[in-house]
Amino acid sequence: NFSRVTEFILLGLSDTRELQVLFFTFFFLAYAMVLLGNLLIIVTVRTDPKLSSPVYFLLCNLSFIDICCTSVISPRLLVDLLSQRKAIAFKGCIAQLFFLHFAGASEMFLLTVMAYDRYAAVCKPLHYTAIMSRQACWVLVSACWAGGFLHSIVQTLLTVQLPFCGPNKIDSYFCDVPPVIRLACTDIYVTEWLMASNSGLISLLCFLVLVTSYAFILVTIRGCLTEGHWKALSTCASHVMVVILFFVPCIFIYLRPFSTFPSDKHICVIYTVLSPAMNPLIYTLRNNEVKASMWRLWKR
């Protein structure tokens, strides 16, 4: 594609050495929390027969995606925080961009499926087992991964066809679409709008579907809150927290022209590090069944 750039320089979050040490400690603890928390959820769900319902099957897949998503960024970030020169090869940068959007888009679709699961459980309880059968769950999860792959391959192909022949400093701590395509030595007006319509619209549409499903749930259960409804509402409340942490920053970052706005690398920390780290806490601390299963696993 006529590119002369063989590597990119990541400017990171700060040039100050003291702040870099502070960031290293924070991101190391956050990454450890992501790995330990999500692995604990996966092991708990897989080993406890009482957690065989569709919501826990989807939660197990969400934990796996969270591990994949943060593992694309955090190990590299931790190494760069201890390095003087934060260089990444062109191919490595494109690979990071591809796998980040692959995991990120798959998580968006999976969160939407989880909202549909809660809608079916609350609004159509008599048909729930038929709607969310084991086979249907596998089909929905496979569709999430396939949708994430299609989204990511489009973003990657739009990026690699751009020529990079001059500046190679990325004003971020990882390779993402907005900071990378700003370095292209050509007019990116059409490309950035295609990318914004891809990433931004996917984020917005999934968010609107989520909001609509919760609106239907609230309308359905108003005035007749049984114990089962309270349980479903508790699960929905934790789901809403995850949705806000994940979708709002994504919509802000991707649903706009990339070249006319400055880099927002500090906002990216929310959905690349904080959201995967908070998911285990949100889903376990607000779910008595998961906590009870973890306690039984610990005693065994």
Side-chain angles (χ1 to χ4, degrees), residues 199-234:
S199 295
L201 282 181
I202 286 177
S203 304
L204 182 61
L205 289 175
C206 288
F207 181 73
L208 292 177
V209 171
L210 287 162
V211 172
T212 303
S213 67
Y214 293 129
F216 274 113
I217 290 173
L218 292 176
V219 170
T220 300
I221 66 177
R222 72 182 189 279
C224 57
L225 289 175
T226 63
E227 183 180 352
H229 285 144
W230 279 114
K231 182 179 176 181
L233 272 181
S234 178

Side-chain angles (χ1 to χ4, degrees), residues 7-264:
E7 67 176 13
F8 292 105
I9 305 298
L10 299 171
L11 299 183
L13 292 168
S14 174
D15 294 329
T16 308
R17 187 60 184 171
E18 291 76 12
L19 281 178
Q20 289 181 353
V21 173
L22 181 64
F23 286 143
F24 177 85
T25 305
F26 169 76
F27 287 115
F28 178 80
L29 293 175
Y31 186 49
M33 186 183 300
V34 171
L35 293 180
L36 295 177
N38 285 292
L39 283 174
L40 180 59
I41 289 177
I42 292 173
V43 172
T44 302
V45 173
R46 297 291 295 176
T47 56
D48 194 339
K50 294 183 178 181
L51 301 181
S52 58
S53 61
V55 64
Y56 298 114
F57 173 78
L58 298 175
L59 176 59
C60 186
N61 281 275
L62 177 65
S63 295
F64 177 71
I65 292 179
D66 277 336
I67 292 174
C68 295
C69 188
T70 192
S71 295
V72 174
I73 296 175
S74 293
R76 174 84 202 189
L77 172 61
L78 293 174
V79 172
D80 286 342
L81 286 171
L82 299 178
S83 305
Q84 293 294 330
R85 189 171 184 269
K86 303 171 178 60
I88 182 171
F90 182 87
K91 292 181 180 179
C93 183
I94 297 301
Q96 188 181 59
L97 184 151
F98 169 79
F99 286 110
L100 174 65
H101 280 267
F102 184 17
S106 299
E107 180 163 352
M108 286 185 184
F109 297 134
L110 184 60
L111 287 171
T112 307
V113 170
M114 292 177 73
Y116 175 71
D117 170 77
R118 291 299 83 201
Y119 164 78
V122 175
C123 301
K124 299 181 180 295
L126 298 180
H127 303 281
Y128 177 68
T129 54
I131 295 173
M132 296 301 295
S133 63
R134 176 64 64 167
Q135 182 180 2
C137 288
W138 277 109
V139 170
L140 289 171
V141 170
S142 300
C144 292
W145 283 104
F149 177 80
L150 290 175
H151 159 78
S152 184
I153 200 68
V154 169
Q155 296 290 85
T156 305
L157 291 176
L158 288 173
T159 302
V160 297
Q161 56 87 28
L162 296 172
F164 297 92
C165 51
N168 68 336
K169 293 183 178 180
I170 298 176
D171 188 18
S172 185
Y173 58 95
F174 67 102
C175 289
D176 196 11
V177 168
V180 170
I181 69 170
R182 288 193 190 103
L183 304 179
C185 49
T186 186
D187 183 19
I188 61 170
Y189 180 80
V190 175
T191 302
E192 67 180 346
W193 276 108
L194 287 173
M195 290 181 166
S197 62
N198 187 357
S199 295
L201 282 181
I202 286 177
S203 304
L204 182 61
L205 289 175
C206 288
F207 181 73
L208 292 177
V209 171
L210 287 162
V211 172
T212 303
S213 67
Y214 293 129
F216 274 113
I217 290 173
L218 292 176
V219 170
T220 300
I221 66 177
R222 72 182 189 279
C224 57
L225 289 175
T226 63
E227 183 180 352
H229 285 144
W230 279 114
K231 182 179 176 181
L233 272 181
S234 178
T235 305
C236 290
S238 61
H239 197 179
V240 169
M241 295 181 192
V242 174
V243 166
I244 293 174
L245 277 175
F246 189 76
F247 278 93
V248 173
C250 288
I251 293 172
F252 178 78
I253 293 292
Y254 296 111
L255 194 61
R256 59 182 188 173
F258 304 143
S259 60
T260 55
F261 291 88
S263 175
D264 294 295

